[in-house]
Amino acid sequence: MAIRKDGIKSRENLLRAAAEVFAEKGYQKATVAQICQKAGSNIASVNYHFTSKDELYIAVWKKAFEHALQVYPADGGLDQTATPPQRLGALIHCLLHRILDDGTLGFAGQILLRELGEPTEVIGNIMLDVVAPLRKLARNILSELLGPAANERNLRFCELSIVHQCLATSFRRSRKNFPRVFEDEITIEIIDELAEHITLFSLAGISAVRKKWKNMKQKKKADR
Amino acid sequence: MAIRKDGIKSRENLLRAAAEVFAEKGYQKATVAQICQKAGSNIASVNYHFTSKDELYIAVWKKAFEHALQVYPADGGLDQTATPPQRLGALIHCLLHRILDDGTLGFAGQILLRELGEPTEVIGNIMLDVVAPLRKLARNILSELLGPAANERNLRFCELSIVHQCLATSFRRSRKNFPRVFEDEITIEIIDELAEHITLFSLAGISAVRKKWKNMKQKKKADR
Amino acid sequence: MAIRKDGIKSRENLLRAAAEVFAEKGYQKATVAQICQKAGSNIASVNYHFTSKDELYIAVWKKAFEHALQVYPADGGLDQTATPPQRLGALIHCLLHRILDDGTLGFAGQILLRELGEPTEVIGNIMLDVVAPLRKLARNILSELLGPAANERNLRFCELSIVHQCLATSFRRSRKNFPRVFEDEITIEIIDELAEHITLFSLAGISAVRKKWKNMKQKKKADR
Amino acid sequence: MAIRKDGIKSRENLLRAAAEVFAEKGYQKATVAQICQKAGSNIASVNYHFTSKDELYIAVWKKAFEHALQVYPADGGLDQTATPPQRLGALIHCLLHRILDDGTLGFAGQILLRELGEPTEVIGNIMLDVVAPLRKLARNILSELLGPAANERNLRFCELSIVHQCLATSFRRSRKNFPRVFEDEITIEIIDELAEHITLFSLAGISAVRKKWKNMKQKKKADR
DNA sequence: AATGAATGAGCCTTCATTCAT
DNA sequence: GATGAATGAAGGCTCATTCAT
């Protein structure tokens, strides 16, 4: 039996085209016809290769995340001996790059945003697989940074502050109707610079929270 | 004159129903049939009252924002003599409440998120009218807090850090597939508490940025 | 009881507006909403005054024809002693004016054309009342002009030739897609001139038919 | 390659069904559902094969005209050496057959009439492509027949007289409410006979116009 | 293995008409 | 007597999917 290369090629063309179209138009507005046209394949090819539009969508996600997980690991390549501030910096660096770096994650950042606004009931496990470890990592680092005086709510709020600073950068693309977050084209240099800023900003914020809570506890103690 | 009272009522029923359905399903998936059913009116009523699904969508936005602008003014009711930290706190408080407070803004927070992910080319000016003044306000406050040594990029990055902490809270609803941001039901108390946290966190972050930049400038000076 | 003038006025406004809209858009494309707006009345007024769109349409026809029948009688005001050529000229004059003279027949010429192409099953008797006497008149005149040698088919064909020259002038309005029949604005002078031309043209045509048939009969006779 | 033969067939079924329905009901009243039902295809097939109802309508026109242009060329197959009366006869013959001959032009005559009364803004160029050369031909012949004394208005009026005699035969179908133009079924023999009649009638008319104008010119000359 | 033809469910919109005042 | 609100039937179109090669 002859193995035809165009079978695989056609599948990959579809994946690439789908990523672009899904990112640009969103799941709903994206049509299989458009995706097929962009991929240079015929209109039945989506169902042929992926069974349905849904499954194609999932496949796009999977591919994008696998790529991102490899290129930007959550620990940033640091070993366990690194200091908490260093590890926080690495985590932020990882998050930002996964979201913003087109060359790497493809259009997943854009799709992620849509998924946040319009969960497609189709993704589920993929997301959990990716998000859960990140959260655990973040909470570990934060625990160390906030110290023993911090309570669950401190932890959660700080987690929010940090993650949201990163996550919301995916808003950057909303071109027409919103003031764009970034005026310039996004380069790797800018991403790195922003990661550094968020790290600095957040470490200071965490310290402030730690100090305040410590004071409150001492005050409470003294009041008794 | 034959004026029927039910006219206004029908219109408002549609607006309320539309807000719910748009929030739940998103613009694309929401059908006028469903909205009309929920509003207890005929399927032609959307067109009768609003000309089209598009216009209905815009009307929902407008109503939501007008409400929000009234109930939570951007300056938080502070006069000009308030200190920059106070004014920053008021701004954050305003942003959070507009996004999170269901009782007030209706479902606008949810719809806003969708709009960020999937701009409908239908909103345009409304957004600008709301966002532009907020940004200006934020930048004024930040200028004072960052001091004269700060450059445009410092300003922008700090703006990002603060606004994103607030904006991304709209992710909270993503019920099914994502880890929810808030575990508990969101009460006004929690919103206020979160606003206080973000203010504290951000003021510390801004200070850190200010200090770092000042040092860098002095160092540069000394190097020469 | 006070007689309100606006009742009648509103009715007439509707008739006038309807005539214009029907003429411009045709029965199908004309909407009652548009007619009511043009008439300055409310959207229920058509059904109120005329029961239905159909009945309004009939009313427009009736009014237009009554007017035309009065202003341009089929005999052109000639008495019975007039010569056949004179009476033919009067008939043609009458037909043309009824079709072309906007000031008189209102927009009936235009509507007539539509009705030819798309009979609305609604007119019936009105048409017969108008067309039947014209045909009878025409045939009488033609009988005299063609002489005893003419047969039924001669009669019918000549009738066609004359009536069609007049009737088809209603094509003149097809502005966009067809070469317009008249380049200039249509004035009463031009209508009269055209009537004169058609009369001259047709009288010659009739003579030719008469002569030919006479020859054929004589020939047949001689052949025997 | 998977080429299914039914593709072409389905398209042609649609064209045929559409021609019938458009002719019978007119563009507005004709529904795609009805056309599809008549063609034995699915309701989406119109959109699949022709993109829209509009385009289907255009396609019907095109097909009808292409057929007509081939079967009945405007010059009637005469070469340039034919006498003007012969060429006029050929032109009239052509026009009549194009309009009246169902077997050839399909339902185009009927649709043409509708189009005259209710231009659909959809036809445009097609019409011009067909009408313009006919007019030019007609004017050339008329110029020769009318002689040098004729002015532009003579030319135009004679053109009207001839073209209208032919064009208005499309009125024949107005079945229900109008007195039918032809009582008998229309056969090719009758069409030919009518063509002969119109030619005879018109040649005589043209001569009369020529003579009259010549006299007027001479008179004018003499008066000076 | 792969494709072009064909489908059918569903959506937004239009519009003449009716209802309630 | 007259009006503005409201209706419901119907139409054109889109699009993911299936069918028949």
Side-chain angles (χ1 to χ4, degrees), chain A:
Chain A
M1 246 183 298
I3 292 176
R4 290 178 56 181
K5 282 270 171 72
D6 35 338
I8 298 172
K9 214 172 182 181
S10 163
R11 222 188 103 99
E12 293 200 344
N13 281 340
L14 276 173
L15 274 174
R16 185 164 43 245
E20 291 178 27
V21 178
F22 281 140
E24 191 188 352
K25 308 255 175 153
Y27 180 78
Q28 295 290 336
K29 274 194 161 178
T31 69
V32 296
Q34 192 183 0
I35 291 169
C36 291
Q37 193 193 0
K38 199 161 205 163
S41 65
N42 98 328
I43 195 174
S45 58
V46 160
N47 283 285
Y48 179 69
H49 286 291
F50 299 94
T51 315
S52 74
K53 188 188 179 188
D54 271 16
E55 295 293 330
L56 171 60
Y57 187 63
I58 295 178
V60 168
W61 267 99
K62 275 193 177 151
K63 187 188 165 197
F65 271 116
E66 280 167 11
H67 203 174
L69 291 179
Q70 280 186 349
V71 179
Y72 293 107
D75 57 13
L78 293 180
D79 57 43
Q80 298 283 36
T81 64
T83 65
Q86 283 175 322
R87 282 153 60 208
L88 184 68
L91 179 64
I92 288 169
H93 185 271
C94 157
L95 279 174
L96 274 189
H97 272 279
R98 284 191 185 173
I99 291 169
L100 290 174
D101 186 344
D102 276 356
T104 304
L105 214 156
F107 294 78
Q110 185 67 359
I111 300 180
L112 167 68
L113 179 53
R114 296 186 181 288
E115 203 59 33
L116 287 167
E118 189 158 357
T120 34
E121 322 217 2
V122 169
I123 307 299
N125 296 330
I126 302 179
M127 279 308 295
L128 290 177
D129 290 353
V130 175
V131 174
L134 284 175
R135 283 195 85 186
K136 201 175 168 196
L137 194 57
R139 292 175 72 89
N140 284 342
I141 300 172
L142 279 172
S143 286
E144 296 189 52
L145 287 170
L146 283 169
N151 60 14
E152 167 62 20
R153 179 153 291 173
N154 294 140
L155 205 59
R156 182 179 297 277
F157 278 1
C158 284
E159 186 196 345
L160 282 186
S161 285
I162 294 165
V163 171
H164 284 182
Q165 283 181 75
C166 299
L167 210 49
T169 56
S170 57
F171 293 160
R172 79 204 143 83
R173 283 194 189 273
S174 311
R175 287 160 223 212
K176 289 164 202 157
N177 303 316
F178 297 92
R180 297 191 57 186
V181 173
F182 302 101
E183 244 109 61
D184 324 302
E185 200 64 19
I186 300 173
T187 63
I188 291 195
E189 286 75 32
I190 290 186
I191 299 177
D192 284 337
E193 200 176 334
L194 181 58
E196 205 177 333
H197 160 83
I198 293 179
T199 306
L200 170 68
F201 194 98
S202 299
L203 284 172
I206 293 166
S207 290
V209 171
R210 176 176 189 156
K211 195 178 298 174
K212 179 185 173 194
W213 228 247
K214 204 170 156 191
N215 289 343
M216 281 182 68
K217 271 207 168 172
Q218 287 177 340
K219 207 177 173 187
K220 267 190 186 170
K221 219 175 179 179
D223 286 353
R224 274 184 255 156

Side-chain angles (χ1 to χ4, degrees), chain D residues 127-183:
Chain D
M127 277 309 295
L128 290 178
D129 291 351
V130 174
V131 174
L134 284 176
R135 286 196 83 186
K136 198 176 171 196
L137 193 60
R139 292 176 72 87
N140 283 341
I141 299 172
L142 280 171
S143 286
E144 296 190 51
L145 287 170
L146 283 169
N151 59 15
E152 168 62 21
R153 179 154 289 176
N154 295 140
L155 206 59
R156 180 178 300 276
F157 278 0
C158 285
E159 186 195 345
L160 282 186
S161 286
I162 294 165
V163 171
H164 283 180
Q165 283 180 78
C166 299
L167 211 48
T169 57
S170 56
F171 294 159
R172 78 203 143 85
R173 282 193 188 274
S174 313
R175 293 164 218 205
K176 290 160 201 160
N177 304 314
F178 296 94
R180 297 192 56 186
V181 172
F182 301 100
E183 246 107 59

Side-chain angles (χ1 to χ4, degrees), chain C residues 76-92:
Chain C
L78 292 179
D79 58 42
Q80 299 283 38
T81 63
T83 64
Q86 285 175 321
R87 280 155 59 208
L88 184 67
L91 179 63
I92 289 169

